[in-house]
Amino acid sequence: LFVAWLNRQRDPKDHALCDFERIRYEIKPGDVLLVEGRSVAERILKTVTVSNWTHAALYIGRPLELEDSDLKNTLSNFFSAAPDTQLVIETRIGAGVTVRPLLDLEHDHIRLCRPKSLSSKDVQQVIRFAINRLGSFHDGTYLLDLTRFLFPWGLLPTGWRLPLFRRWPGRHTKNLSASFIAESFGFIQFPVYPLVKVTTEQGTQFLRRHPRPCLPYEIDQSPNFEIVKYPFIDMQQYENERMIPWKGSGVYSGMEQEPALTFQRSAPIKPLAAGETGNVTPISGRSESRNDQ
């Protein structure tokens, strides 16, 4: 019952901050999806890490794209879908390593992270590791591990939360984090965060860290992953314009200096003549009240 409560989802927001259709088109096998989760446990993790990213999933592509027939058979034992269905593998509290369609993330805020300089062979090894772990890490109650989700983390100073949350992690904590994603890439010795050691004798060395719970925000900050953004509005079509294409009652003031944004009230706003002043608020200004915005 407690695990079911931790997995209870809030309703999605009316408008996501990313272009999901563009992500579906551009995503490649081996990419990692960071998700702003909506469950109770993920909201607790957001308080601990002070980050929007609370969940991570590995994109494995479509079943028809898998070259190994054994992997296709293993995948079919855990998920029955059309051969052209885009799939992701992730871990969930109480469910362990699972697979589901990419389409399930349509209404979530998503960030795409792409590993740097990986060959297609390395990507297939990562996917092989993930598929062979399907169904694992789901049994066991780990009641002591669940008690950390009852702790009032918001009362602690920000710097204390993460070190305490990482202590003695159980399976539920690891399933909530991105540890499985880090293990999948660690299988090919591609760490999320390498340890950099600089010495006078041997120069710069990159070493693998001691295993620890990897959290989604660390993939976002990792130097080994590129951030690929597809916002819900493509600003490239406005890159030669001087004004950001705001919606609503905002109108351009017509001034030749810095672009400004004004808001209509009782009467339409006319362009200002040279030397005149008026109620013009720059885009970066904060003088307007919340109701006016």
Side-chain angles (χ1 to χ4, degrees), residues 110-125:
I110 298 173
R111 172 166 290 177
L112 193 60
C113 299
R114 181 161 295 159
K116 294 181 180 179
S117 305
L118 278 190
S119 65
S120 59
K121 181 179 179 180
D122 289 334
V123 171
Q124 291 301 317
Q125 289 295 324

Side-chain angles (χ1 to χ4, degrees), residues 242-243 252-261 280-284:
R242 296 190 60 193
M243 177 184 174
Y252 185 56
S253 65
M255 298 179 64
E256 291 297 326
Q257 291 81 13
E258 292 294 326
L261 190 69
V280 178
T281 303
I283 291 177
S284 59

Side-chain angles (χ1 to χ4, degrees), residues 6-73:
L6 289 175
N7 286 324
R8 190 173 62 186
Q9 300 276 330
R10 276 183 178 175
D11 293 332
K13 298 178 181 179
D14 294 335
H15 302 284
L17 298 178
C18 58
D19 187 346
F20 183 76
E21 291 302 321
R22 181 86 183 275
I23 289 177
R24 288 184 62 190
Y25 180 77
E26 300 286 352
I27 195 170
K28 299 178 181 179
D31 287 351
V32 176
L33 290 163
L34 300 183
V35 185
E36 185 178 359
R38 294 179 282 113
S39 70
V40 174
E42 288 165 330
R43 296 200 299 271
I44 294 172
L45 185 61
K46 185 183 294 188
T47 302
V48 172
T49 61
V50 197
S51 170
N52 287 339
W53 311 118
T54 58
H55 186 63
L58 175 68
Y59 178 68
I60 63 171
R62 298 173 172 86
L64 58 84
E65 297 173 344
L66 295 176
E67 301 174 357
D68 193 335
S69 58
D70 292 337
L71 289 183
K72 292 182 180 179
N73 294 333

Side-chain angles (χ1 to χ4, degrees), residues 40-154:
V40 174
E42 288 165 330
R43 296 200 299 271
I44 294 172
L45 185 61
K46 185 183 294 188
T47 302
V48 172
T49 61
V50 197
S51 170
N52 287 339
W53 311 118
T54 58
H55 186 63
L58 175 68
Y59 178 68
I60 63 171
R62 298 173 172 86
L64 58 84
E65 297 173 344
L66 295 176
E67 301 174 357
D68 193 335
S69 58
D70 292 337
L71 289 183
K72 292 182 180 179
N73 294 333
T74 303
L75 188 62
S76 63
N77 293 331
F78 292 93
F79 190 82
S80 178
D84 61 342
T85 305
Q86 295 176 291
L87 300 176
V88 296
I89 290 181
E90 60 189 2
T91 52
R92 289 286 183 182
I93 293 180
V97 184
T98 61
V99 57
R100 64 168 171 164
L102 174 66
L103 193 61
D104 288 355
L105 303 177
E106 180 178 7
H107 301 290
D108 291 317
H109 183 202
I110 298 173
R111 172 166 290 177
L112 193 60
C113 299
R114 181 161 295 159
K116 294 181 180 179
S117 305
L118 278 190
S119 65
S120 59
K121 181 179 179 180
D122 289 334
V123 171
Q124 291 301 317
Q125 289 295 324
V126 172
I127 293 175
R128 175 186 296 275
F129 179 90
I131 292 178
N132 286 331
R133 296 301 186 278
L134 284 173
S136 58
F137 310 143
H138 67 279
D139 44 356
T141 54
Y142 305 98
L143 294 178
L144 292 177
D145 188 32
L146 288 173
T147 56
R148 76 179 67 236
F149 297 103
L150 295 175
F151 194 81
W153 296 101

